[in-house]
Amino acid sequence: MSAYLDEVFPQVRGMFGIDTLEDDRVVMRLHADERHLRPGGTVSGPAMFSLADVAAYVATMARIGPEALTVTTHCSIDFMRKPVSGRDLLAEARLLKLGKTLSVTDVLLYSEGVAEPVAHASLTYAIPPRRDA
């Protein structure tokens, strides 16, 4: 899956890591560095959104196989706490529903080593029709 992400999204190569890849659950990591910080030294909202989005994408790809044209159609994100400065962010994504044309994923974001989530996201992906169908 990591090689696939590098192939289809070379612009973010090395930004994310996959810690756990299971049937309905993915744990991903944002290797937080200076480019992800906003004034005050906290990880920015767009960086947190990116982590949630790629975690939901990987959770979907893990079930349907590589399909680069699967796209985000909805995202709702609640920012609940300031991430801990100097730590990677982790995303725990759970695939809630996988249909023929949509997948729905729930994602919790955490500062590494901290039990309370910093954000919660819900994402829906549109899955293109199979060519063989």
Side-chain angles (χ1 to χ4, degrees):
M1 186 60 70
S2 294
Y4 172 73
L5 288 176
D6 287 347
E7 176 187 333
V8 295
F9 300 112
Q11 66 274 24
V12 296
R13 181 175 286 135
M15 189 183 307
F16 303 103
I18 300 172
D19 288 9
T20 304
L21 183 57
E22 298 170 347
D23 198 34
D24 290 332
R25 180 178 166 267
V26 173
V27 177
M28 294 200 61
R29 164 182 309 270
L30 169 68
H31 302 291
D33 60 30
E34 287 295 319
R35 66 185 156 165
H36 304 116
L37 302 182
R38 56 170 285 139
T42 189
V43 175
S44 71
M48 288 191 275
F49 169 83
S50 295
L51 176 59
D53 193 38
V54 75
Y57 183 80
V58 168
T60 301
M61 294 300 102
R63 290 290 299 279
I64 69 169
E67 182 55 67
L69 296 179
T70 299
V71 296
T72 309
T73 59
H74 169 79
C75 177
S76 173
I77 189 165
D78 294 303
F79 301 101
M80 301 183 293
R81 293 175 182 80
K82 180 180 175 182
V84 176
S85 183
R87 294 192 187 179
D88 284 352
L89 280 185
L90 301 177
E92 182 174 357
R94 293 191 184 276
L95 194 60
L96 301 179
K97 178 166 185 343
L98 179 64
K100 290 182 181 180
T101 60
L102 296 175
S103 72
V104 178
T105 307
D106 184 73
V107 182
L108 286 171
L109 301 180
Y110 299 89
S111 292
E112 186 173 31
V114 179
E116 297 83 20
V118 298
H120 170 258
S122 176
L123 293 101
T124 303
Y125 267 83
I127 301 167
R130 295 275 181 192
R131 290 183 192 97
D132 58 315

